Amino acid sequence: MKRTLVISDIHGELELFEQLLSNVQYNPRHDQLILLGDYVDRGPDSRKVLDKIIELKAQGAFILRGNHEDMMIKALTTNDERSWKHWAHRNGGSNTLQSYGFSESEFIIPENKDFVKPVLHSEKLAGHLAFIQSLDPIVEHNDYIFVHAGVHPTIPIAETDPYVLMWIREEFYNNYRGDKPVIFGHTPTTILHNDKNNHSIYFGENRIIGIDGAAVYGGQLNCLELPAKVMHYVK
């Protein structure tokens, strides 16, 4: 049976990501790779991670959008001050922009200055922005739902705002009662385990499977292998 390999929340950690793919001996001819979002921000190599993911998608991987891609899109495609500062100042967007060769003086707005959105020219960044804008927030298979953050416990997926699928937390993982297991990232598994030292995959009694090992915070990058439900990880 073909393996399905699921990874989430890479956050610019290219070295860990490539090591994990090597460790599981990923082969696109025999394996189905599913990535659950948050490829950018906080880590050192967001640009190179997106280059890698574009290559993987061309080989057949399913690539979903996470909340950090959502923040990046809003910051780069609108003139909204809150969206810009939320991403570039407070949620790791500065690391992403630096990976494209920009310096902080080009995109950090001093608090005592009126907001004028920075003008940043990069063909590579523009191409990557178009790519992440094309990504879906969820994919549903016969046996599992794959999503970045989770699903609303009472609203059908087809009627759910994509924002919810990329951002929901407690309302989902505390209240989900659906028949089909949901595999998701976004919420570090230390929170789900209620153990700050436990970065392993979380298998909830309510058919939720959390895989975000908080690699960019010094945890581990997890890979869930299906159908065997085996955990692989690097740290």
Side-chain angles (χ1 to χ4, degrees), residues 128-187:
H128 285 172
L129 178 62
F131 172 73
I132 63 174
Q133 286 177 294
S134 75
L135 300 177
D136 293 323
I138 191 167
V139 63
E140 186 170 358
H141 287 179
N142 290 336
D143 299 320
Y144 293 97
I145 296 167
F146 301 91
V147 66
H148 178 65
V151 299
H152 195 281
T154 62
I155 300 174
I157 291 171
E159 300 173 19
T160 302
D161 187 326
Y163 180 89
V164 172
L165 304 173
M166 294 181 286
W167 285 90
I168 196 169
R169 289 194 194 271
E170 292 90 346
E171 189 175 10
F172 157 64
Y173 61 73
N174 287 331
N175 300 297
Y176 181 72
R177 297 294 183 270
D179 293 330
K180 190 176 289 188
V182 178
I183 300 175
F184 65 105
H186 187 54
T187 298

Short mmCIF file of all heavy atoms in Angstrom, two decimals, residues 128-187:
data_model
loop_
_atom_site.label_atom_id
_atom_site.label_comp_id
_atom_site.label_asym_id
_atom_site.label_seq_id
_atom_site.Cartn_x
_atom_site.Cartn_y
_atom_site.Cartn_z
N HIS A 128 6.80 33.56 -5.38
CA HIS A 128 6.39 32.77 -4.22
C HIS A 128 5.05 33.23 -3.67
O HIS A 128 4.24 32.42 -3.21
CB HIS A 128 7.46 32.85 -3.13
CG HIS A 128 8.67 32.02 -3.44
ND1 HIS A 128 9.82 32.07 -2.68
CD2 HIS A 128 8.91 31.10 -4.40
CE1 HIS A 128 10.71 31.23 -3.19
NE2 HIS A 128 10.17 30.63 -4.23
N LEU A 129 4.81 34.54 -3.72
CA LEU A 129 3.52 35.06 -3.26
C LEU A 129 2.39 34.50 -4.12
O LEU A 129 1.35 34.07 -3.59
CB LEU A 129 3.54 36.59 -3.30
CG LEU A 129 2.24 37.28 -2.90
CD1 LEU A 129 1.87 36.98 -1.46
CD2 LEU A 129 2.38 38.80 -3.10
N ALA A 130 2.58 34.49 -5.41
CA ALA A 130 1.56 33.93 -6.30
C ALA A 130 1.33 32.46 -6.01
O ALA A 130 0.19 31.96 -6.05
CB ALA A 130 1.98 34.13 -7.76
N PHE A 131 2.41 31.75 -5.69
CA PHE A 131 2.30 30.32 -5.39
C PHE A 131 1.46 30.09 -4.13
O PHE A 131 0.53 29.28 -4.14
CB PHE A 131 3.68 29.71 -5.21
CG PHE A 131 3.68 28.30 -4.70
CD1 PHE A 131 3.30 27.25 -5.52
CD2 PHE A 131 4.04 28.01 -3.39
CE1 PHE A 131 3.28 25.94 -5.05
CE2 PHE A 131 4.03 26.71 -2.92
CZ PHE A 131 3.65 25.67 -3.74
N ILE A 132 1.77 30.80 -3.04
CA ILE A 132 1.03 30.54 -1.80
C ILE A 132 -0.41 31.01 -1.91
O ILE A 132 -1.31 30.45 -1.25
CB ILE A 132 1.72 31.13 -0.55
CG1 ILE A 132 1.80 32.65 -0.61
CG2 ILE A 132 3.10 30.51 -0.37
CD1 ILE A 132 2.34 33.28 0.68
N GLN A 133 -0.67 32.00 -2.77
CA GLN A 133 -2.05 32.42 -2.99
C GLN A 133 -2.87 31.32 -3.69
O GLN A 133 -4.09 31.29 -3.56
CB GLN A 133 -2.09 33.70 -3.82
CG GLN A 133 -1.69 34.95 -3.06
CD GLN A 133 -1.69 36.17 -3.96
OE1 GLN A 133 -0.89 36.27 -4.88
NE2 GLN A 133 -2.59 37.11 -3.70
N SER A 134 -2.20 30.44 -4.39
CA SER A 134 -2.90 29.38 -5.14
C SER A 134 -3.23 28.17 -4.27
O SER A 134 -3.93 27.26 -4.73
CB SER A 134 -2.03 28.93 -6.32
OG SER A 134 -0.93 28.13 -5.89
N LEU A 135 -2.74 28.13 -3.05
CA LEU A 135 -2.86 26.94 -2.22
C LEU A 135 -4.22 26.85 -1.55
O LEU A 135 -4.78 27.85 -1.10
CB LEU A 135 -1.76 26.91 -1.15
CG LEU A 135 -0.32 26.92 -1.67
CD1 LEU A 135 0.66 26.97 -0.49
CD2 LEU A 135 -0.04 25.70 -2.55
N ASP A 136 -4.74 25.64 -1.44
CA ASP A 136 -5.98 25.38 -0.71
C ASP A 136 -5.69 25.22 0.78
O ASP A 136 -4.60 24.79 1.18
CB ASP A 136 -6.65 24.12 -1.24
CG ASP A 136 -7.16 24.29 -2.67
OD1 ASP A 136 -7.63 25.39 -3.00
OD2 ASP A 136 -7.07 23.31 -3.45
N PRO A 137 -6.69 25.46 1.64
CA PRO A 137 -6.48 25.31 3.08
C PRO A 137 -6.78 23.92 3.62
O PRO A 137 -6.49 23.63 4.77
CB PRO A 137 -7.44 26.33 3.68
CG PRO A 137 -8.58 26.36 2.70
CD PRO A 137 -7.97 26.15 1.34
N ILE A 138 -7.35 23.03 2.78
CA ILE A 138 -7.77 21.73 3.31
C ILE A 138 -7.87 20.73 2.17
O ILE A 138 -8.10 21.10 1.01
CB ILE A 138 -9.16 21.87 4.01
CG1 ILE A 138 -9.53 20.62 4.81
CG2 ILE A 138 -10.25 22.24 3.02
CD1 ILE A 138 -10.70 20.83 5.75
N VAL A 139 -7.64 19.46 2.49
CA VAL A 139 -7.89 18.38 1.55
C VAL A 139 -8.51 17.23 2.33
O VAL A 139 -8.09 16.93 3.46
CB VAL A 139 -6.60 17.94 0.81
CG1 VAL A 139 -5.55 17.37 1.76
CG2 VAL A 139 -6.92 16.92 -0.27
N GLU A 140 -9.52 16.61 1.76
CA GLU A 140 -10.22 15.51 2.42
C GLU A 140 -10.10 14.26 1.59
O GLU A 140 -10.41 14.26 0.39
CB GLU A 140 -11.70 15.88 2.63
CG GLU A 140 -12.47 14.88 3.45
CD GLU A 140 -13.85 15.36 3.84
OE1 GLU A 140 -14.21 16.51 3.50
OE2 GLU A 140 -14.57 14.60 4.50
N HIS A 141 -9.62 13.18 2.23
CA HIS A 141 -9.52 11.89 1.58
C HIS A 141 -10.60 10.96 2.15
O HIS A 141 -11.37 11.34 3.03
CB HIS A 141 -8.13 11.30 1.79
CG HIS A 141 -7.06 11.97 0.97
ND1 HIS A 141 -5.74 11.60 1.02
CD2 HIS A 141 -7.13 12.99 0.08
CE1 HIS A 141 -5.04 12.37 0.20
NE2 HIS A 141 -5.85 13.22 -0.37
N ASN A 142 -10.61 9.75 1.67
CA ASN A 142 -11.62 8.80 2.14
C ASN A 142 -11.54 8.55 3.64
O ASN A 142 -12.56 8.40 4.31
CB ASN A 142 -11.48 7.47 1.40
CG ASN A 142 -11.90 7.57 -0.05
OD1 ASN A 142 -12.68 8.43 -0.43
ND2 ASN A 142 -11.36 6.68 -0.89
N ASP A 143 -10.31 8.51 4.16
CA ASP A 143 -10.13 8.11 5.55
C ASP A 143 -9.76 9.25 6.49
O ASP A 143 -9.87 9.10 7.71
CB ASP A 143 -9.03 7.03 5.64
CG ASP A 143 -9.39 5.78 4.85
OD1 ASP A 143 -10.57 5.39 4.89
OD2 ASP A 143 -8.50 5.21 4.20
N TYR A 144 -9.28 10.38 5.97
CA TYR A 144 -8.79 11.46 6.82
C TYR A 144 -9.12 12.83 6.23
O TYR A 144 -9.30 12.98 5.03
CB TYR A 144 -7.26 11.39 6.97
CG TYR A 144 -6.74 10.19 7.72
CD1 TYR A 144 -6.29 9.06 7.04
CD2 TYR A 144 -6.72 10.17 9.11
CE1 TYR A 144 -5.81 7.95 7.72
CE2 TYR A 144 -6.24 9.07 9.81
CZ TYR A 144 -5.79 7.96 9.11
OH TYR A 144 -5.32 6.86 9.80
N ILE A 145 -9.15 13.83 7.12
CA ILE A 145 -9.18 15.23 6.75
C ILE A 145 -7.80 15.81 7.08
O ILE A 145 -7.30 15.61 8.19
CB ILE A 145 -10.28 16.00 7.52
CG1 ILE A 145 -11.66 15.47 7.14
CG2 ILE A 145 -10.18 17.50 7.27
CD1 ILE A 145 -12.76 15.93 8.07
N PHE A 146 -7.20 16.51 6.14
CA PHE A 146 -5.90 17.15 6.35
C PHE A 146 -6.10 18.66 6.28
O PHE A 146 -6.66 19.18 5.30
CB PHE A 146 -4.91 16.71 5.27
CG PHE A 146 -4.67 15.23 5.22
CD1 PHE A 146 -5.44 14.42 4.39
CD2 PHE A 146 -3.70 14.63 6.00
CE1 PHE A 146 -5.23 13.05 4.33
CE2 PHE A 146 -3.48 13.25 5.95
CZ PHE A 146 -4.25 12.46 5.12
N VAL A 147 -5.63 19.38 7.29
CA VAL A 147 -5.87 20.82 7.37
C VAL A 147 -4.79 21.44 8.25
O VAL A 147 -4.18 20.76 9.07
CB VAL A 147 -7.29 21.07 7.94
CG1 VAL A 147 -7.40 20.61 9.38
CG2 VAL A 147 -7.72 22.52 7.77
N HIS A 148 -4.57 22.74 8.08
CA HIS A 148 -3.52 23.36 8.88
C HIS A 148 -3.91 23.46 10.36
O HIS A 148 -3.19 22.97 11.23
CB HIS A 148 -3.16 24.75 8.37
CG HIS A 148 -2.11 25.41 9.23
ND1 HIS A 148 -0.83 24.90 9.33
CD2 HIS A 148 -2.16 26.47 10.07
CE1 HIS A 148 -0.14 25.64 10.18
NE2 HIS A 148 -0.93 26.60 10.64
N ALA A 149 -5.04 24.12 10.65
CA ALA A 149 -5.38 24.40 12.05
C ALA A 149 -6.47 23.50 12.61
O ALA A 149 -6.45 23.15 13.79
CB ALA A 149 -5.83 25.86 12.18
N GLY A 150 -7.43 23.13 11.79
CA GLY A 150 -8.54 22.32 12.27
C GLY A 150 -9.81 22.66 11.52
O GLY A 150 -9.79 23.46 10.58
N VAL A 151 -10.91 22.07 11.94
CA VAL A 151 -12.22 22.33 11.33
C VAL A 151 -13.17 22.81 12.42
O VAL A 151 -12.99 22.51 13.60
CB VAL A 151 -12.79 21.08 10.63
CG1 VAL A 151 -11.87 20.62 9.51
CG2 VAL A 151 -13.02 19.94 11.62
N HIS A 152 -14.19 23.54 12.01
CA HIS A 152 -15.18 23.97 12.99
C HIS A 152 -16.01 22.76 13.42
O HIS A 152 -16.44 21.97 12.58
CB HIS A 152 -16.08 25.06 12.40
CG HIS A 152 -16.86 25.78 13.44
ND1 HIS A 152 -18.01 25.25 14.01
CD2 HIS A 152 -16.66 26.98 14.05
CE1 HIS A 152 -18.48 26.09 14.91
NE2 HIS A 152 -17.69 27.14 14.96
N PRO A 153 -16.24 22.59 14.72
CA PRO A 153 -16.92 21.37 15.18
C PRO A 153 -18.37 21.26 14.79
O PRO A 153 -18.94 20.17 14.85
CB PRO A 153 -16.77 21.43 16.71
CG PRO A 153 -16.51 22.86 17.02
CD PRO A 153 -15.77 23.42 15.85
N THR A 154 -19.01 22.37 14.38
CA THR A 154 -20.45 22.29 14.06
C THR A 154 -20.79 22.79 12.67
O THR A 154 -21.94 22.66 12.25
CB THR A 154 -21.26 23.10 15.09
OG1 THR A 154 -20.87 24.49 15.03
CG2 THR A 154 -21.06 22.56 16.50
N ILE A 155 -19.85 23.34 11.92
CA ILE A 155 -20.12 23.88 10.59
C ILE A 155 -19.55 22.95 9.53
O ILE A 155 -18.37 22.57 9.62
CB ILE A 155 -19.52 25.30 10.42
CG1 ILE A 155 -20.11 26.26 11.46
CG2 ILE A 155 -19.75 25.82 9.01
CD1 ILE A 155 -19.47 27.64 11.45
N PRO A 156 -20.33 22.55 8.53
CA PRO A 156 -19.80 21.70 7.46
C PRO A 156 -18.59 22.36 6.79
O PRO A 156 -18.55 23.59 6.63
CB PRO A 156 -20.98 21.57 6.49
CG PRO A 156 -22.19 21.82 7.32
CD PRO A 156 -21.77 22.83 8.35
N ILE A 157 -17.63 21.54 6.39
CA ILE A 157 -16.41 22.07 5.80
C ILE A 157 -16.71 22.96 4.59
O ILE A 157 -16.11 24.03 4.42
CB ILE A 157 -15.46 20.92 5.40
CG1 ILE A 157 -14.92 20.24 6.66
CG2 ILE A 157 -14.32 21.41 4.53
CD1 ILE A 157 -14.15 18.97 6.39
N ALA A 158 -17.64 22.54 3.75
CA ALA A 158 -17.96 23.30 2.55
C ALA A 158 -18.50 24.69 2.85
O ALA A 158 -18.44 25.59 2.00
CB ALA A 158 -18.97 22.53 1.70
N GLU A 159 -19.02 24.89 4.07
CA GLU A 159 -19.58 26.17 4.46
C GLU A 159 -18.66 26.96 5.38
O GLU A 159 -19.02 28.05 5.85
CB GLU A 159 -20.93 25.95 5.15
CG GLU A 159 -21.96 25.24 4.28
CD GLU A 159 -23.22 24.87 5.04
OE1 GLU A 159 -23.45 25.46 6.13
OE2 GLU A 159 -23.97 24.00 4.57
N THR A 160 -17.48 26.44 5.65
CA THR A 160 -16.56 27.05 6.61
C THR A 160 -15.67 28.10 5.94
O THR A 160 -15.11 27.85 4.87
CB THR A 160 -15.66 25.99 7.27
OG1 THR A 160 -16.48 25.01 7.91
CG2 THR A 160 -14.74 26.61 8.31
N ASP A 161 -15.55 29.25 6.56
CA ASP A 161 -14.64 30.29 6.08
C ASP A 161 -13.21 29.74 6.10
O ASP A 161 -12.78 29.18 7.11
CB ASP A 161 -14.73 31.51 7.02
CG ASP A 161 -13.96 32.72 6.52
OD1 ASP A 161 -12.89 32.53 5.90
OD2 ASP A 161 -14.41 33.85 6.78
N PRO A 162 -12.45 29.87 5.00
CA PRO A 162 -11.07 29.38 4.98
C PRO A 162 -10.23 29.91 6.13
O PRO A 162 -9.30 29.23 6.59
CB PRO A 162 -10.55 29.86 3.62
CG PRO A 162 -11.77 29.95 2.77
CD PRO A 162 -12.86 30.41 3.68
N TYR A 163 -10.53 31.12 6.60
CA TYR A 163 -9.80 31.69 7.74
C TYR A 163 -9.85 30.75 8.94
O TYR A 163 -8.85 30.54 9.63
CB TYR A 163 -10.40 33.05 8.11
CG TYR A 163 -9.73 33.72 9.28
CD1 TYR A 163 -8.64 34.56 9.09
CD2 TYR A 163 -10.18 33.53 10.58
CE1 TYR A 163 -8.01 35.19 10.17
CE2 TYR A 163 -9.57 34.15 11.66
CZ TYR A 163 -8.48 34.98 11.44
OH TYR A 163 -7.86 35.58 12.51
N VAL A 164 -11.01 30.16 9.18
CA VAL A 164 -11.18 29.24 10.32
C VAL A 164 -10.27 28.03 10.16
O VAL A 164 -9.62 27.60 11.12
CB VAL A 164 -12.66 28.80 10.43
CG1 VAL A 164 -12.81 27.70 11.47
CG2 VAL A 164 -13.54 30.00 10.77
N LEU A 165 -10.18 27.49 8.96
CA LEU A 165 -9.37 26.29 8.71
C LEU A 165 -7.89 26.54 8.94
O LEU A 165 -7.14 25.60 9.25
CB LEU A 165 -9.60 25.80 7.28
CG LEU A 165 -11.05 25.51 6.89
CD1 LEU A 165 -11.13 25.20 5.40
CD2 LEU A 165 -11.63 24.37 7.72
N MET A 166 -7.47 27.80 8.83
CA MET A 166 -6.06 28.15 9.01
C MET A 166 -5.73 28.68 10.41
O MET A 166 -4.56 28.75 10.79
CB MET A 166 -5.64 29.19 7.97
CG MET A 166 -5.66 28.68 6.54
SD MET A 166 -5.12 29.90 5.33
CE MET A 166 -6.55 30.99 5.27
N TRP A 167 -6.75 29.04 11.20
CA TRP A 167 -6.49 29.75 12.45
C TRP A 167 -7.14 29.13 13.70
O TRP A 167 -6.73 29.43 14.82
CB TRP A 167 -6.97 31.20 12.34
CG TRP A 167 -6.10 32.06 11.50
CD1 TRP A 167 -6.18 32.28 10.15
CD2 TRP A 167 -4.99 32.84 11.95
NE1 TRP A 167 -5.21 33.14 9.73
CE2 TRP A 167 -4.46 33.51 10.81
CE3 TRP A 167 -4.39 33.05 13.19
CZ2 TRP A 167 -3.36 34.37 10.89
CZ3 TRP A 167 -3.29 33.90 13.27
CH2 TRP A 167 -2.80 34.56 12.13
N ILE A 168 -8.15 28.31 13.56
CA ILE A 168 -8.89 27.81 14.73
C ILE A 168 -7.97 27.02 15.67
O ILE A 168 -7.01 26.39 15.24
CB ILE A 168 -10.09 26.94 14.26
CG1 ILE A 168 -11.09 26.74 15.40
CG2 ILE A 168 -9.62 25.60 13.68
CD1 ILE A 168 -12.41 26.12 14.96
N ARG A 169 -8.28 27.08 16.95
CA ARG A 169 -7.50 26.30 17.93
C ARG A 169 -8.45 25.56 18.89
O ARG A 169 -9.00 24.53 18.56
CB ARG A 169 -6.54 27.21 18.71
CG ARG A 169 -5.35 27.72 17.90
CD ARG A 169 -4.30 28.30 18.81
NE ARG A 169 -3.31 29.08 18.10
CZ ARG A 169 -2.18 28.60 17.58
NH1 ARG A 169 -1.90 27.31 17.69
NH2 ARG A 169 -1.33 29.41 16.97
N GLU A 170 -8.62 26.11 20.10
CA GLU A 170 -9.32 25.38 21.17
C GLU A 170 -10.72 24.92 20.78
O GLU A 170 -11.13 23.81 21.14
CB GLU A 170 -9.42 26.25 22.44
CG GLU A 170 -8.10 26.51 23.13
CD GLU A 170 -7.43 27.78 22.61
OE1 GLU A 170 -7.86 28.29 21.54
OE2 GLU A 170 -6.46 28.23 23.25
N GLU A 171 -11.45 25.76 20.06
CA GLU A 171 -12.82 25.39 19.70
C GLU A 171 -12.85 24.10 18.90
O GLU A 171 -13.76 23.28 19.04
CB GLU A 171 -13.48 26.53 18.91
CG GLU A 171 -14.96 26.33 18.68
CD GLU A 171 -15.61 27.51 17.99
OE1 GLU A 171 -14.88 28.42 17.54
OE2 GLU A 171 -16.85 27.52 17.91
N PHE A 172 -11.82 23.91 18.08
CA PHE A 172 -11.70 22.67 17.31
C PHE A 172 -11.24 21.51 18.18
O PHE A 172 -11.94 20.51 18.32
CB PHE A 172 -10.74 22.86 16.14
CG PHE A 172 -10.13 21.57 15.63
CD1 PHE A 172 -10.93 20.59 15.06
CD2 PHE A 172 -8.76 21.34 15.74
CE1 PHE A 172 -10.38 19.39 14.61
CE2 PHE A 172 -8.20 20.16 15.28
CZ PHE A 172 -9.01 19.18 14.72
N TYR A 173 -10.05 21.64 18.74
CA TYR A 173 -9.47 20.43 19.34
C TYR A 173 -10.15 20.01 20.65
O TYR A 173 -10.06 18.85 21.05
CB TYR A 173 -7.95 20.52 19.49
CG TYR A 173 -7.37 21.61 20.36
CD1 TYR A 173 -7.45 21.57 21.74
CD2 TYR A 173 -6.66 22.66 19.78
CE1 TYR A 173 -6.88 22.54 22.53
CE2 TYR A 173 -6.07 23.64 20.55
CZ TYR A 173 -6.18 23.58 21.94
OH TYR A 173 -5.60 24.56 22.71
N ASN A 174 -10.89 20.91 21.29
CA ASN A 174 -11.63 20.52 22.49
C ASN A 174 -13.02 19.97 22.18
O ASN A 174 -13.58 19.25 23.00
CB ASN A 174 -11.78 21.72 23.43
CG ASN A 174 -10.50 22.09 24.13
OD1 ASN A 174 -9.65 21.23 24.37
ND2 ASN A 174 -10.34 23.36 24.47
N ASN A 175 -13.55 20.30 20.99
CA ASN A 175 -14.96 20.00 20.73
C ASN A 175 -15.23 19.14 19.50
O ASN A 175 -16.39 18.81 19.24
CB ASN A 175 -15.74 21.31 20.59
CG ASN A 175 -15.67 22.16 21.84
OD1 ASN A 175 -16.14 21.76 22.90
ND2 ASN A 175 -15.08 23.35 21.73
N TYR A 176 -14.20 18.78 18.75
CA TYR A 176 -14.45 17.99 17.55
C TYR A 176 -15.00 16.61 17.91
O TYR A 176 -14.48 15.93 18.79
CB TYR A 176 -13.15 17.82 16.75
CG TYR A 176 -13.33 17.02 15.47
CD1 TYR A 176 -14.01 17.55 14.38
CD2 TYR A 176 -12.85 15.71 15.37
CE1 TYR A 176 -14.20 16.82 13.22
CE2 TYR A 176 -13.02 14.97 14.21
CZ TYR A 176 -13.70 15.53 13.14
OH TYR A 176 -13.88 14.80 11.99
N ARG A 177 -16.05 16.22 17.21
CA ARG A 177 -16.67 14.91 17.45
C ARG A 177 -17.02 14.22 16.13
O ARG A 177 -17.86 13.32 16.11
CB ARG A 177 -17.95 15.07 18.30
CG ARG A 177 -17.72 15.64 19.70
CD ARG A 177 -16.91 14.69 20.58
NE ARG A 177 -16.75 15.20 21.94
CZ ARG A 177 -15.75 15.98 22.34
NH1 ARG A 177 -14.82 16.35 21.46
NH2 ARG A 177 -15.67 16.40 23.58
N GLY A 178 -16.37 14.62 15.05
CA GLY A 178 -16.68 14.05 13.75
C GLY A 178 -16.21 12.61 13.63
O GLY A 178 -15.39 12.12 14.40
N ASP A 179 -16.74 11.92 12.63
CA ASP A 179 -16.40 10.52 12.41
C ASP A 179 -15.03 10.34 11.77
O ASP A 179 -14.36 9.33 11.99
CB ASP A 179 -17.46 9.85 11.52
CG ASP A 179 -18.81 9.77 12.20
OD1 ASP A 179 -18.84 9.66 13.44
OD2 ASP A 179 -19.83 9.83 11.48
N LYS A 180 -14.62 11.31 10.97
CA LYS A 180 -13.37 11.17 10.22
C LYS A 180 -12.22 11.84 10.97
O LYS A 180 -12.33 12.99 11.37
CB LYS A 180 -13.54 11.78 8.83
CG LYS A 180 -12.40 11.47 7.88
CD LYS A 180 -12.67 12.02 6.47
CE LYS A 180 -13.76 11.24 5.78
NZ LYS A 180 -13.91 11.64 4.34
N PRO A 181 -11.11 11.14 11.19
CA PRO A 181 -9.97 11.75 11.89
C PRO A 181 -9.45 12.98 11.14
O PRO A 181 -9.41 13.02 9.91
CB PRO A 181 -8.92 10.64 11.90
CG PRO A 181 -9.70 9.37 11.73
CD PRO A 181 -10.86 9.72 10.86
N VAL A 182 -9.05 13.99 11.92
CA VAL A 182 -8.49 15.22 11.38
C VAL A 182 -7.01 15.29 11.74
O VAL A 182 -6.65 15.21 12.92
CB VAL A 182 -9.21 16.46 11.93
CG1 VAL A 182 -8.56 17.74 11.39
CG2 VAL A 182 -10.69 16.43 11.58
N ILE A 183 -6.16 15.44 10.73
CA ILE A 183 -4.72 15.58 10.94
C ILE A 183 -4.38 17.04 10.70
O ILE A 183 -4.70 17.60 9.65
CB ILE A 183 -3.93 14.66 10.00
CG1 ILE A 183 -4.32 13.20 10.27
CG2 ILE A 183 -2.42 14.86 10.17
CD1 ILE A 183 -3.69 12.20 9.32
N PHE A 184 -3.71 17.67 11.68
CA PHE A 184 -3.52 19.12 11.64
C PHE A 184 -2.19 19.51 12.28
O PHE A 184 -1.56 18.72 12.99
CB PHE A 184 -4.67 19.82 12.38
CG PHE A 184 -4.73 19.54 13.86
CD1 PHE A 184 -4.32 20.49 14.78
CD2 PHE A 184 -5.18 18.31 14.34
CE1 PHE A 184 -4.37 20.25 16.15
CE2 PHE A 184 -5.24 18.04 15.71
CZ PHE A 184 -4.82 19.01 16.61
N GLY A 185 -1.79 20.74 12.00
CA GLY A 185 -0.59 21.33 12.62
C GLY A 185 -1.02 22.49 13.50
O GLY A 185 -1.94 22.37 14.30
N HIS A 186 -0.31 23.64 13.38
CA HIS A 186 -0.73 24.91 13.97
C HIS A 186 -0.58 24.98 15.49
O HIS A 186 0.09 25.87 16.00
CB HIS A 186 -2.17 25.21 13.55
CG HIS A 186 -2.66 26.57 13.93
ND1 HIS A 186 -1.99 27.72 13.58
CD2 HIS A 186 -3.77 26.97 14.62
CE1 HIS A 186 -2.67 28.77 14.05
NE2 HIS A 186 -3.76 28.33 14.66
N THR A 187 -1.22 24.09 16.20
CA THR A 187 -1.13 24.08 17.66
C THR A 187 -0.02 23.13 18.09
O THR A 187 -0.10 21.92 17.81
CB THR A 187 -2.46 23.63 18.29
OG1 THR A 187 -3.49 24.56 17.93
CG2 THR A 187 -2.36 23.56 19.80
#
